[in-house]
Amino acid sequence: VSNRQIVIAQIPDGPIGVDHFVACDAVIPAPGPGEVLCRTILVSLDPVNRGLMRGGGDYRGGLGPGDVMAGFGIAEVIDAGDTGWVPGALVLAETGWQQYAAVPAGALSAVGPQRPLSHALSALGVSGMTAWFGLHEIGRPVAGETVVVSAAAGATGHVAGQLARLTGCRTVGIVGSPAKAEALRELGFDACVVRDEPRVLRARLREACPDGIDVYFDSVGGGVLDACLALMRRHGRVVCCGTLSAYDSEPPPGPRGVPGLVISKRLRLEGFVVLDHRDRWPAAQQQIADWVADGRLTVLEEIDDGLHAAPQAFVDVLAGANLGKRMVRVAPNP
Ligand SMILES: NC(=O)c1ccc[n+]([C@@H]2O[C@H](COP(=O)([O-])OP(=O)(O)OC[C@H]3O[C@@H](n4cnc5c(N)ncnc54)[C@H](OP(=O)(O)O)[C@@H]3O)[C@@H](O)[C@H]2O)c1
């Protein structure tokens, strides 16, 4: 048995395509001291990992040709050595795009009891936690306020918007297509606008947010941030979550209004990294799981079948062709 991997063939010099990846067969790694051999079940497709293909950043080191593509996954422990993990345990791990990975035992965490298993990568995983801590810790909306969420039909955005609704806020999504807007209205978003260049987007948002914006959950930066800044209310909060407009293309010019509007409107723009809040994930996960169970929160997921599907699925996510959390099934659930 070999270890099928998807490795980086070349670093994109423009928008990413499937040709930037190649499938290879390697030997199944032997776990070293303190490592656990894991078999990948599902891998998450995270747009921020496109950034690793141009040298990384503060999150972690970059990736180059020949490296297995990075990805967070759900895996089954196969060989735990003397680490204390037990074979058969289901864990969250940086598996990368491969069937088997040897991972440091300390970097694993146990998958909770909630099912389906895939929720551990979506609403109960990094995406849902990003929505929760970005919204509640950084945005801190209160009932009656207006919350705008960008990339609102994505893994993080559709959860952030529903959490804002559950807080009693008017919730407006920014999305890439009318079909996505329709899907979000079915989830209870009060309004949705399709993204466009800043002037057009601003006009659409002004209509959707007649009282202005109290909290803007920004996963995009660039022109979308520009359009929202102009509509922020005094003492508004901008949750700096990500910069999707810059992952697969040249970073657009920064938004106008920084710092002018930030000063005159007394805004707070604050970034965060969800992993910093890890000790408080369990309580947030429990609340989200309860809302999913009683039907107040809907989880959107798309699961492509087979490791070979990962490059196209990743290209799709960066091009906006996903509704909710996109992931790839590498092996059936045990
Ligand atoms: N701070 C943290 O700790 C943390 C943790 C995890 C993720 N994040 C960030 O959260 C954001 C969302 O990530 P996700 O995993 O949930 O991905 P996602 O929203 O499921 O997928 C990406 C979405 O980005 C939108 N998009 C693509 N290109 C764009 C562009 N040029 N301008 C505007 N939108 C574009 C597309 O939606 P539309 O076409 O519908 O707009 C696409 O569906 C990312 O910025 C990510 O880096 C932050």
Side-chain angles (χ1 to χ4, degrees):
V1 190
S2 66
N3 181 19
R4 186 123 265 238
Q5 305 176 319
I6 307 283
V7 308
I8 296 170
Q10 51 174 314
I11 295 300
D13 189 20
I16 197 167
V18 291
D19 294 347
H20 296 116
F21 299 99
V22 65
C24 302
D25 287 306
V27 292
I28 296 175
E35 285 187 336
V36 172
L37 178 65
C38 295
R39 186 171 69 99
T40 312
I41 298 168
L42 284 164
V43 282
S44 161
L45 299 168
D46 297 307
V48 75
N49 285 348
R50 169 69 177 87
L52 301 179
M53 298 174 80
R54 50 169 105 232
D58 287 344
Y59 279 111
R60 50 170 289 177
L63 296 169
D67 288 334
V68 175
M69 182 57 182
F72 202 65
I74 295 173
E76 180 185 6
V77 171
I78 299 294
D79 178 355
D82 57 2
T83 62
W85 289 94
V86 284
L90 294 176
V91 292
L92 291 161
E94 268 282 347
T95 57
W97 293 6
Q98 56 185 341
Q99 289 176 308
Y100 295 91
V103 184
L108 301 180
S109 55
V111 172
Q114 290 88 5
R115 295 294 177 266
L117 201 52
S118 55
H119 283 189
L121 286 186
S122 61
L124 303 179
V126 168
S127 308
M129 294 301 98
T130 300
W132 179 283
F133 288 97
L135 188 75
H136 291 306
E137 285 290 314
I138 313 294
R140 299 180 213 153
V142 294
E145 289 191 324
T146 297
V147 175
V148 170
V149 178
S150 54
T156 306
H158 84 287
V159 178
Q162 291 182 86
L163 294 178
R165 276 294 293 152
L166 287 163
T167 308
C169 299
R170 175 172 174 77
T171 303
V172 176
I174 302 173
V175 293
S177 72
K180 288 184 177 184
E182 187 50 40
L184 293 188
R185 276 192 285 266
E186 282 173 21
L187 296 193
F189 280 60
D190 295 284
C192 275
V193 300
V194 175
R195 67 180 155 92
D196 210 309
E197 50 110 353
R199 189 196 301 260
V200 177
L201 178 57
R202 197 179 310 130
R204 288 178 188 160
L205 279 170
R206 189 171 281 127
E207 224 172 283
C209 308
D211 298 329
I213 302 171
D214 296 288
V215 174
Y216 169 46
F217 192 106
D218 182 35
S219 290
V220 173
V224 177
L225 176 56
D226 188 324
C228 289
L229 277 178
L231 299 175
M232 294 301 294
R233 298 183 65 179
R234 239 183 218 196
H235 299 293
R237 288 81 72 199
V238 177
V239 180
C240 300
C241 174
T243 55
L244 283 161
S245 60
Y247 293 156
D248 198 32
S249 46
E250 280 306 304
R256 290 163 305 158
V258 178
L261 286 174
V262 180
I263 298 163
S264 61
K265 291 170 180 269
R266 291 83 159 165
L267 303 179
R268 175 162 59 81
L269 278 71
E270 187 176 340
F272 74 105
V273 172
V274 69
L275 300 176
D276 295 348
H277 301 271
R278 199 128 199 183
D279 56 328
R280 290 192 295 131
W281 284 24
Q285 285 165 322
Q286 188 58 56
Q287 178 64 84
I288 290 181
D290 289 347
W291 281 334
V292 171
D294 72 16
R296 279 194 278 177
L297 199 146
T298 301
V299 185
L300 299 177
E301 295 181 338
E302 293 175 335
I303 304 180
D304 293 59
D305 221 15
L307 187 61
H308 64 277
Q312 184 63 55
F314 190 61
V315 169
D316 286 351
V317 169
L318 285 161
N322 63 304
L323 186 61
K325 179 75 191 179
R326 186 101 174 238
M327 47 194 130
V328 168
R329 178 168 295 286
V330 181
N333 289 347

